[in-house]
Amino acid sequence: MTDKKEATMHQAGGHVDAFVNLGDGKIRKKVGEMEYNFYNDLAKKYPNLVPFAPKFFGTEEGEDGSKYVKMEDLTQYFEKPCILDVKIGKTSADPDASDKKRAAMLAKDARSTSTKLGLRITALKKWNVEKQEYEKFGKEWGKNVKKEEIVEKLGVFLDNGKEKRTDVAKKFLAELEKFSAYYSKQTQLRLFSSSILFLYDGIKKDDAVIQLRIIDFAHVFPPEKEGSLDTNYLPGLANVIKYFEEL
């Protein structure tokens, strides 16, 4: 598989076999019932979230009942897509999780930075301009990042082997602040096990091009009570903004 096609599989830490490249700047993702319904309802129920989610091109159902979502391929805008997946939330255990599953997920969260910081680096890949090759840091690497290392490890994503892409960091920060302005006040939904996907071009241009999208909507729930905020998600969002301010 080529680097470009591998990058097309959308998430640095995602399941490659869940994605199919449809061409024309679109990919298809195999999804469960909740994510399928979420995308169908997105524009109507959550219009303020639309600018922050991947562009949606419809759903499909297979003969075997499998469900799919067609969405934009975010890597299409870059020559050498560099991708960072940061999972947000103090826990990934949603309200429907069984006691056994909840216990396992809470333990997993506690072993990473999720419980302490409300986020964890899932994985990343970046283009090294000196070596002229991709460098990849997978899920095991992400799980072992310590609280005190988080800014340093986020900085790995911006280090192209020659310089730190501070131009990119500033643009990501601006997009994060836009998303926070909406999400820190919204009272319609809670996101569990959802990620923020960061993308930039490893080939430096005069004006850095980035994409920042909220992805993975397999665990979307209404507020705990009417008018309440997403207290599981917001600490991590605030922290990722803080850390990008430090980069």
Side-chain angles (χ1 to χ4, degrees), residues 85 115 141 174:
D85 184 317
T115 302
W141 177 85

Side-chain angles (χ1 to χ4, degrees), residues 121-187:
I121 299 173
T122 302
L124 69 87
K125 63 181 294 181
K126 62 172 183 173
W127 180 250
N128 187 306
V129 298
E130 291 292 300
K131 297 179 180 179
Q132 288 292 293
E133 65 183 23
Y134 273 110
E135 295 179 338
K136 303 171 187 179
F137 301 80
K139 286 186 176 183
E140 286 303 314
W141 177 85
K143 288 176 185 176
N144 291 315
V145 172
K146 302 292 187 286
K147 175 183 176 182
E148 60 274 11
E149 300 174 329
I150 196 74
V151 175
E152 173 195 345
K153 300 305 184 185
L154 287 171
V156 168
F157 178 55
L158 302 174
D159 183 352
N160 66 9
K162 186 177 181 180
E163 62 180 328
K164 182 185 282 188
R165 293 292 302 276
T166 55
D167 57 328
V168 167
K170 289 175 183 176
K171 290 203 168 188
F172 282 138
L173 181 59
E175 292 302 306
L176 286 167
E177 288 173 338
K178 288 177 188 176
F179 176 60
S180 180
Y182 151 66
Y183 202 80
S184 63
K185 296 176 182 177
Q186 71 82 28
T187 56

Side-chain angles (χ1 to χ4, degrees), residues 4 17-18 55 91-92 126 148 155 179 183 210-211 227 232:
K4 179 65 178 175
D17 57 359
K55 290 177 184 175
T91 180
S92 49
K126 62 172 183 173
E148 60 274 11
F179 176 60
Y183 202 80
I210 66 149
Q211 292 285 326
N232 179 61

Side-chain angles (χ1 to χ4, degrees), residues 17-20 28-37 40 58-70:
D17 57 359
F19 296 91
V20 174
R28 185 177 67 196
K29 179 185 179 184
K30 187 175 183 179
V31 297
E33 184 80 22
M34 185 172 286
E35 191 159 14
Y36 181 87
N37 292 335
N40 278 325
T59 53
E60 294 180 354
E61 286 196 46
E63 292 182 2
D64 61 353
S66 297
K67 299 182 184 299
Y68 303 90
V69 170
K70 292 183 290 184

Side-chain angles (χ1 to χ4, degrees), residues 12-133:
H15 299 287
V16 170
D17 57 359
F19 296 91
V20 174
N21 185 357
L22 300 176
D24 296 325
K26 299 175 185 177
I27 59 173
R28 185 177 67 196
K29 179 185 179 184
K30 187 175 183 179
V31 297
E33 184 80 22
M34 185 172 286
E35 191 159 14
Y36 181 87
N37 292 335
F38 173 84
Y39 271 103
N40 278 325
D41 295 341
L42 177 59
K44 184 177 179 180
K45 290 181 69 173
Y46 313 112
N48 292 325
L49 183 55
V50 170
F52 303 105
K55 290 177 184 175
F56 171 58
F57 298 107
T59 53
E60 294 180 354
E61 286 196 46
E63 292 182 2
D64 61 353
S66 297
K67 299 182 184 299
Y68 303 90
V69 170
K70 292 183 290 184
M71 63 181 79
E72 87 181 299
D73 171 13
L74 293 168
T75 68
Q76 67 181 297
Y77 308 108
F78 311 105
E79 288 183 54
K80 294 294 182 182
C82 300
I83 310 173
L84 166 68
D85 184 317
V86 178
K87 193 172 293 293
I88 305 294
K90 295 178 76 67
T91 180
S92 49
D94 69 42
D96 285 349
S98 66
D99 290 344
K100 183 178 180 180
K101 186 173 183 179
R102 178 178 300 278
M105 296 178 86
L106 288 172
K108 180 180 178 181
D109 294 330
R111 289 193 297 269
S112 71
T113 56
S114 292
T115 302
K116 297 182 181 71
L117 303 179
L119 64 92
R120 72 172 179 264
I121 299 173
T122 302
L124 69 87
K125 63 181 294 181
K126 62 172 183 173
W127 180 250
N128 187 306
V129 298
E130 291 292 300
K131 297 179 180 179
Q132 288 292 293
E133 65 183 23

